[in-house]
Amino acid sequence: MVDAAADREMLTRQVATSGNAMSAVAVAASSEAMAAYGRLASVAGPSQSAEWAAAWTETHTVDALIATLSAKGRPVLSVTLEVTREGPFRIARFLSGKHANGNFPAVDRTWPATASAAAIETLVGSIRRARPDIDIVAFDRLITEFDGLPNPLLKLASTPSPNVALAVNLDGGFEAVLARTSGKRKRKRHRSQERKYETVGGARRIVATTEADANAMLDAFFAMKEQRFGAMGIVDVFADASVRTFFRKLFADALQKDPPPFVLHGLEVGGKYRAVTGSSRAGNRLVCEFGAIADDELAFASPGEYLFFDNISEACDQGFDIYDFSVGDEPYKRQWCDVEIQHSDVLVPLTVKGRLYALALKSISRLKSAVKNNARLWAMLKRLRSGVRGKDAPAAEED
């Protein structure tokens, strides 16, 4: 049996305590440190969870570290980061880069309400001491609160992330959600879609409960994304073999827990997956981390829309307060959403080079925000990117 007190002692032995109540240490993400991180984290956003961190570090060769903040010798906050090069700069970000959204660190549930900027500066100071080669620490796409707790990393100065996240308030259950979002039209369309699917063998919504289920859904998802991104002229962030192995491991390992912290849903029509979503159970919310639809003869029947209808209904039945579509503003999300979530970025330069890079990153972020908040300019950019001329780029039912 694992001794949590022994884990705490292992971490706190590494902390250089002083007269201050707060102390911190940053260490390489060894297997021992990762195990301790997993056992000590009582609350964490999906991408900072023990499951996510372990799956990423086990499927990638990364320069990863764990920074831990302690209050009077008791660990209260930890972050897992990976160090990468961007041109001449070395930057520490959350593990998994752009796949990590709505970020919230691993914390002791009792601590965030008392967090201070000085405490987070102590955490960052431990990274600077352990890794003087790092130019900047980037806490990207931070969510304001998680499961009722404020995000302690936002005690530092922040700027809005360029991409909004959209969500559905599930208060009152699915009937109340429909009443707030043109439910009569949605039900009629759902029935119409079902009749279309019946002409080719009928629809079946599947929840992955075995590793074979998970792999089959991910095979379909990766193929959908490859086709979709290729058509849009976008780099496929799921194309790398190590990224695909990561997601296979993440969802397969999640099946060992009840309930699984990560879950795959698929819509099968005529014996083929036409839509797939991958979600995380994140405290009081269900977060759709990704989704895709097949661009085939049934795309006209909007399988993604059909699957989201059932996913949101199930989220209500399971007692979630929020269905979170995650980052990205798309028309299919707006059909449901009544909540806008503004993520924030915290950039902490550690060197002179880092200060210069922080200025550049903030400028780029402001430019992205300006473009995405201008509907005409954003539509034009998407048309240019996809190679479409004279007509709107197709709206996706996916992220």
Side-chain angles (χ1 to χ4, degrees), residues 140-159:
D140 295 326
R141 298 179 296 283
L142 295 170
I143 196 166
T144 304
E145 63 86 25
F146 179 80
D147 207 21
L149 299 176
N151 194 325
L153 297 178
L154 287 173
K155 290 297 181 179
L156 299 183
S158 65
T159 56

Side-chain angles (χ1 to χ4, degrees), residues 122-360:
T122 298
L123 179 77
V124 173
S126 72
I127 298 172
R128 180 187 289 110
R129 290 191 302 273
R131 292 292 301 269
D133 59 317
I134 294 174
D135 294 305
I136 186 170
V137 176
F139 297 129
D140 295 326
R141 298 179 296 283
L142 295 170
I143 196 166
T144 304
E145 63 86 25
F146 179 80
D147 207 21
L149 299 176
N151 194 325
L153 297 178
L154 287 173
K155 290 297 181 179
L156 299 183
S158 65
T159 56
S161 296
N163 296 305
V164 70
L166 298 175
V168 190
N169 182 351
L170 304 183
D171 184 45
F174 193 54
E175 292 302 321
V177 170
L178 289 176
R180 295 191 293 267
T181 58
S182 305
K184 185 175 180 180
R185 183 190 64 80
K186 283 186 171 66
R187 282 197 183 281
K188 182 178 179 180
R189 182 163 172 78
H190 198 65
R191 289 193 296 267
S192 174
Q193 290 166 320
E194 192 161 11
R195 288 193 294 271
K196 290 182 175 73
Y197 299 148
E198 285 172 355
T199 65
V200 290
R204 186 165 67 113
R205 178 177 176 271
I206 301 171
V207 181
T209 57
T210 68
E211 186 172 352
D213 290 341
N215 282 328
M217 286 189 198
L218 287 170
D219 284 342
F221 169 76
F222 295 141
M224 293 172 192
K225 278 301 189 187
E226 184 175 355
Q227 190 281 329
R228 181 72 184 182
F229 283 146
M232 296 176 70
I234 299 175
V235 173
D236 183 358
V237 295
F238 296 95
D240 189 272
S242 59
V243 170
R244 295 186 175 194
T245 302
F246 158 70
F247 281 112
R248 291 187 193 281
K249 179 172 178 56
L250 181 71
F251 285 98
D253 289 354
L255 295 172
Q256 305 306 311
K257 296 194 173 185
D258 186 19
F262 300 94
V263 60
L264 289 161
H265 295 99
L267 181 69
E268 185 185 83
V269 184
K272 174 184 174 182
Y273 283 116
R274 312 290 177 154
V276 175
T277 60
S279 305
S280 58
R281 290 186 168 96
N284 64 347
R285 66 182 64 206
L286 185 68
V287 182
C288 181
E289 300 287 352
F290 58 72
I293 60 170
D295 187 9
D296 58 19
E297 73 281 2
L298 285 180
F300 77 97
S302 302
E305 181 183 283
Y306 187 94
L307 182 57
F308 279 126
F309 185 101
D310 288 346
N311 285 358
I312 293 169
S313 176
E314 183 179 77
C316 291
D317 293 340
Q318 293 178 345
F320 288 101
D321 296 332
I322 295 287
Y323 184 90
D324 189 339
F325 278 99
S326 194
V327 170
D329 191 344
E330 296 289 349
Y332 76 91
K333 297 181 181 182
R334 290 285 179 184
Q335 291 175 9
W336 287 99
C337 295
D338 51 9
V339 179
E340 286 194 6
I341 301 169
Q342 181 61 65
H343 293 164
S344 298
D345 299 331
V346 171
L347 300 176
V348 188
L350 304 184
T351 66
V352 173
K353 281 201 313 183
R355 286 196 288 273
L356 294 173
Y357 196 36
L359 290 173

Side-chain angles (χ1 to χ4, degrees), residues 16-37:
T17 57
S18 64
N20 298 325
M22 306 303 301
S23 54
V25 62
V27 298
S30 65
S31 57
E32 182 182 33
M34 288 296 297
Y37 174 84

Side-chain angles (χ1 to χ4, degrees), residues 12-136:
T12 55
R13 276 202 310 268
Q14 301 174 68
V15 177
T17 57
S18 64
N20 298 325
M22 306 303 301
S23 54
V25 62
V27 298
S30 65
S31 57
E32 182 182 33
M34 288 296 297
Y37 174 84
R39 291 189 287 264
L40 289 169
S42 62
V43 178
S47 60
Q48 283 288 287
S49 67
E51 296 85 0
W52 187 292
W56 188 261
T57 55
E58 289 175 25
T59 56
H60 290 75
T61 302
V62 292
D63 180 4
L65 66 136
I66 300 173
T68 301
L69 179 72
S70 294
K72 297 181 179 178
R74 177 174 63 92
V76 292
L77 182 152
S78 286
V79 290
T80 55
L81 306 172
E82 61 179 302
V83 183
T84 60
R85 271 198 170 279
E86 297 183 8
F89 306 101
R90 192 170 268 116
I91 185 166
R93 296 185 186 273
F94 290 119
L95 289 175
S96 70
K98 292 182 179 180
H99 295 290
N101 293 296
N103 294 307
F104 191 96
V107 298
D108 182 312
R109 178 175 284 279
T110 63
W111 183 76
T114 65
S116 66
I120 306 305
E121 287 166 358
T122 298
L123 179 77
V124 173
S126 72
I127 298 172
R128 180 187 289 110
R129 290 191 302 273
R131 292 292 301 269
D133 59 317
I134 294 174
D135 294 305
I136 186 170

